Amino acid sequence: MKEIFTNIGNKDTRSGFGAGLLEAGRNNPDVVALCADLTGSLKMDEFAAEFPERFIQCGIAEANMIGVSAGLALSGKVPFAGSFANFLTGRVYDQVRQVVAYSDTNVKICASHAGVTLGEDGATHQIMEDIGLMRMLPNLTVINPCDYNQTKAATIAIAEFHGPVYLRFGRPSVPNFTPADQKFEIGKALKMIEGKDVTIFATGHLVWESIVAAQELEKSGISVELINIHTIKPLDRKAVLESVTKTRAVVCAEEHMIAGGMGELIAGLLSRELPTPVEFIAVDDMFGQSGTPAELLKEYKLDSGSIIEAIKKVFLRK
Amino acid sequence: MTSIAKLHEVASQVRRDIVRMVNMAGSGHPGGSLSSTDFLTALFFKEMNHNPKTWTREGKGSDMFFLSAGHLSPVYYSLLARTGYFPVKELAEFRKIGSRLQGHPSVERGLPGVHVASGSLGQGLSVACGAAIAKRLDNNKNNIYVLIGDGESEEGQIWEAALFAAQKKLDNLIAMTDWNGQQIDGPVCSILNLGNLESKWLSFGWDCLIVDGHNMESVLDAFKWAKKLAGNGKPKMLLMKTNMGQGVDFMQGTHLWHGKAPSNEQTEKALSQLQETLGDF
């Protein structure tokens, strides 16, 4: 393993979204933003201040916000609708299904505070089912970037992409380690670390946890390949199969339920194309609770230590 | 100019289309389609500024119509075909496999005239609000029309959108309620009573007018009233008082024909009450 990733300073991915939205707004006058009374939490304030006529405060009425977004999109605007992941998926699933996905409207569903690292607010707000809910919908692209820089780049990229997108990011301050000048390619998995014994497919905040795990395991002689699945749908099948053909052992890591998550998606692909042992770093059919993000990652076995154990386990299953 | 007599002729043909489409498909929703036929005919054939030949989904430079109560697809499809959005003979494909005329409106197969899917209730008013904001951002003076049902108004999202439209002063939004008083399980007042709909819309900050939805003169006056008030900072609601199943005696005034297809014999009976004016499909 040669790649060294340096944390250039902790930042929250939602701020990456806010910065990307502002830039997308400057790039394209058709970009509009909507929020349901969470402008500060979503870091949409700078966009709202610079483009007040293109910022639409919807109040605590998310179902209506999704419909309004669809109406704007079919009229040629590029709406970014922001709220917490919980309220943009489960709460409005039927709206997203009918007027966004099925109607193929160019709506960008921008979901913050996803996963258990939302922290102290507890299980009512810690949605870990959203990837599954969203990836089941035809037409919808599902993206879960890993840090501030990648979230910013992804936000700019989806503004230029025509089609409905679910963009998932989070609340906590986490390592920022990908390049500031990166070009985000929707649907193209990123090989972060080259290795030969085990492949980790990781998404979102768990990409950094996987880097920590891979670096630790290097010392004990297990060569880990790490692939960042920032786009869960459409899945980069070629990148998955190429890596697994080489390693023949897989760990999938995500801040989500096992059910419906990226891991199941990859395991499903492998079961059809290349049967391979897979271990899942994900939450096994339970709700979260209050706590700090670090405590919760550990409690639900999503931290680097748990990833190390999973890698060792799958290595022995080869 | 389309005279009132001509509008009545068209409405009669549209009602024939509705009955025949639902009969041929063996399923569908005739009751609400028949109750909303008259005022929608006035809208499509006289009041709305639209050009079926140059229609785009974006609706630039044109009025736009949204059907929130998507189960009223028979009347919607008939009016779209009769105004030239697609061939009238395509009405025979309603609810058939591979058809552009899905049971509830869809954009997936590119049916001209349809901007967004509807069917799951309560959503179209919100979508229309979005389109109304887009018109304003584009400095376009066209109006946005949307039809909701009275039963549909039991959905909470309708009232989210009602608050929103008033807050955003969407005075280019002209909504209609097909107030036929019936829903699948029975009379609206016995299922989930809406109470005084007029005072509700007024208190939500809308301009609101109760209209005899089967009287063409009243309907035309109502649209003129609404259009004249464009620019006053308030969205408009036309509460169209109608009869479920209007025009077919055995379907009138009952929830039983909300979503039921007439038999061949019943279809003959219904058609005998509706003059063929433009030629059946």
Side-chain angles (χ1 to χ4, degrees), chain A residues 67-119:
Chain A
V68 171
S69 301
L72 285 159
L74 65 85
S75 303
K77 303 298 171 193
V78 186
F80 282 67
S83 186
F84 290 170
N86 198 14
F87 311 142
L88 285 179
T89 56
R91 187 180 186 91
V92 295
Y93 196 65
D94 188 41
Q95 285 77 10
V96 172
R97 181 176 183 274
Q98 177 164 283
V99 302
V100 178
Y102 183 46
S103 293
D104 203 13
T105 48
N106 191 22
V107 176
K108 315 304 175 185
I109 301 166
C110 303
S112 185
H113 294 53
V116 76
T117 56
L118 160 68

Side-chain angles (χ1 to χ4, degrees), chain A residues 32 53-54 56-58 61-65 67-68 70-72 74-77 94-95 98-99 102-105, chain B residues 57-58 60 64 106-108 115-120 123 126-127 129-131 133-134 137-138 157 160-161 164 168:
Chain A
V32 295
E53 74 290 354
R54 285 156 56 192
I56 300 160
Q57 171 62 266
C58 294
E62 294 84 2
N64 181 59
M65 178 168 73
V68 171
L72 285 159
L74 65 85
S75 303
K77 303 298 171 193
D94 188 41
Q95 285 77 10
Q98 177 164 283
V99 302
Y102 183 46
S103 293
D104 203 13
T105 48
Chain B
R57 200 178 162 200
E58 288 194 359
K60 300 275 188 208
M64 296 167 84
S106 158
V107 298
E108 196 174 35
H115 297 283
V116 72
S118 59
S120 175
Q123 301 186 31
S126 302
V127 178
C129 286
I133 292 179
L137 285 170
D138 290 340
Q157 190 181 344
E160 290 185 9
F164 180 86
K168 304 300 178 192

